[in-house]
Amino acid sequence: MSKEEILKLHGVRRTETLDFDTEVRHRVEYLKEYLLSTGLDGFVLGISGGVDSTTAGRLCQLACTELREQGYDATFYAVRLPYGAQADEADAQASLAFIQPDKVITVDIKPSTDALHSQLGNLSANPGVQDFNKGNVKARIRMVAQYDIAGLRKCLVVGTDHNSELVPAFYTKWGDQACDITVLNGLNKRQVRKLAEALGAPAALFQKTPTADLEDLRPQISDEAALGFSYEDLDNFLEGKYVDDTVVDRIVTQYERTRHKRNWPVAF
């Protein structure tokens, strides 16, 4: 697929053309309207301490607060999902302090992740392959926990993917990619940071180096190191701005080889 075809499907508006206070308002109203249309009781979202979940979480809390003020009893459940002790737990707590969620639920995913992966990890003798796939198990166990909470509390699970994750498919299929509603789509990474800033998030959170932190052998590895290109280049690509041809080729190649992650299961 060509660069032009990718941009036609997933390109974003240029950052300098956006009013981020307006973006906040539109996305809060979108959350409110969709929740009302379902008749459900609120939102569930895992909070990691990164800019994406911080931003989406604050939007969810604003939506629930406004709905209650309008007579609809809505609740936002912020879910902490550490694998044992989280290295950047202080950031997760700072995120919660900013979001001010109605409810906080903490689930340690380590026992369930280890129990499942220990049954299957020996299918590969390669430690790197074992560790990488265990990281995907972590992401999927986190989503299982969120859907369990959502089912018990009659809520929607919120996703945090935006276009800078969508194009390289930088997520775990049926893990953090699975959700009922997304609220950051149509934006790239720099625009999510701008949205967080407009919401009043602490600079330490929206300027933080992004990491999925799923691998034990490479703890806290940055998204950019894992991807092989920077968010700056990827965001410029999505906005139709200049990016070196070698980087464009890497982005297009990544997009093509991860096509299955953006599609529903193929059917006969």
Side-chain angles (χ1 to χ4, degrees), residues 109-127:
I109 66 161
K110 183 175 173 57
S112 50
T113 299
D114 289 353
L116 176 61
H117 189 68
S118 67
Q119 300 293 312
L120 301 170
N122 60 6
L123 291 176
S124 173
N126 185 317

Side-chain angles (χ1 to χ4, degrees), residues 31 42-61 64 75-81 95-96 99 101 103-106 142-143 145-147 149-150 155-161 176 178-184:
L31 287 167
F43 300 108
V44 173
L45 173 62
I47 303 299
S48 66
V51 65
D52 299 339
S53 64
T54 297
T55 305
R58 186 58 187 156
L59 292 171
C60 289
Q61 185 56 58
C64 287
T75 304
F76 173 51
Y77 296 87
V79 188
R80 287 289 300 114
L81 296 156
S95 177
L96 292 174
I99 294 168
K103 304 285 185 181
V104 178
I105 298 173
T106 300
R142 286 180 171 126
M143 191 51 68
Q146 289 176 82
Y147 268 100
I149 294 165
C155 290
L156 296 166
V157 174
V158 179
T160 63
D161 285 333
D176 52 313
C179 61
D180 298 311
I181 182 171
T182 61
V183 71
L184 302 179

Side-chain angles (χ1 to χ4, degrees), residues 128-219:
V129 171
Q130 287 190 36
D131 188 52
F132 183 84
N133 281 279
K134 184 179 178 180
N136 284 330
V137 174
K138 293 175 187 177
R140 292 181 178 121
I141 291 291
R142 286 180 171 126
M143 191 51 68
V144 168
Q146 289 176 82
Y147 268 100
D148 199 5
I149 294 165
L152 293 167
R153 287 288 184 254
K154 298 181 180 179
C155 290
L156 296 166
V157 174
V158 179
T160 63
D161 285 333
H162 45 75
N163 291 36
S164 292
E165 290 184 344
L166 177 66
V167 165
F170 194 70
Y171 45 71
T172 296
K173 191 174 184 179
W174 312 126
D176 52 313
Q177 164 257 6
C179 61
D180 298 311
I181 182 171
T182 61
V183 71
L184 302 179
N185 52 291
L187 302 173
N188 60 22
K189 191 71 170 186
R190 74 163 60 104
Q191 293 165 357
V192 173
R193 290 188 175 113
K194 291 282 189 182
L195 199 64
E197 186 175 14
L199 285 162
L205 294 181
F206 65 76
Q207 293 174 356
K208 179 182 176 181
T209 299
T211 173
D213 194 27
L214 292 176
E215 300 177 54
D216 294 342
L217 297 180
R218 298 191 298 174

Side-chain angles (χ1 to χ4, degrees), residues 14 21 29 48 63 68 82 93 96 115 120 127 135 169 173 194 209 231 246 254 260 266:
R14 293 202 169 196
D21 291 331
E29 291 298 329
S48 66
R68 288 198 298 274
Q93 293 303 316
L96 292 174
L120 301 170
K173 191 174 184 179
K194 291 282 189 182
T209 299
Y231 275 121
T246 59
Q254 174 75 0
H260 71 98
V266 294

Side-chain angles (χ1 to χ4, degrees), residues 3 7 12-16 162-165 168 188-194 206-210 222-225 227-244 247-248 250-251:
K3 170 186 174 180
L7 291 180
V12 302
R13 293 166 290 171
R14 293 202 169 196
T15 300
E16 58 270 20
H162 45 75
N163 291 36
S164 292
E165 290 184 344
N188 60 22
K189 191 71 170 186
R190 74 163 60 104
Q191 293 165 357
V192 173
R193 290 188 175 113
K194 291 282 189 182
F206 65 76
Q207 293 174 356
K208 179 182 176 181
T209 299
S222 72
D223 292 355
E224 294 175 323
L227 281 168
F229 42 81
S230 69
Y231 275 121
E232 181 73 12
D233 281 338
L234 180 55
D235 290 351
N236 284 339
F237 174 93
L238 290 170
E239 292 184 42
K241 296 177 179 177
Y242 172 77
V243 181
D244 187 86
V247 178
V248 170
R250 286 191 212 123
I251 294 170

Side-chain angles (χ1 to χ4, degrees), residues 58 60-70 72 74-76 100 102:
R58 186 58 187 156
C60 289
Q61 185 56 58
L62 288 171
C64 287
T65 299
E66 291 181 14
L67 282 171
R68 288 198 298 274
E69 291 170 352
Q70 295 163 9
Y72 190 88
T75 304
F76 173 51
Q100 299 181 25
D102 294 317

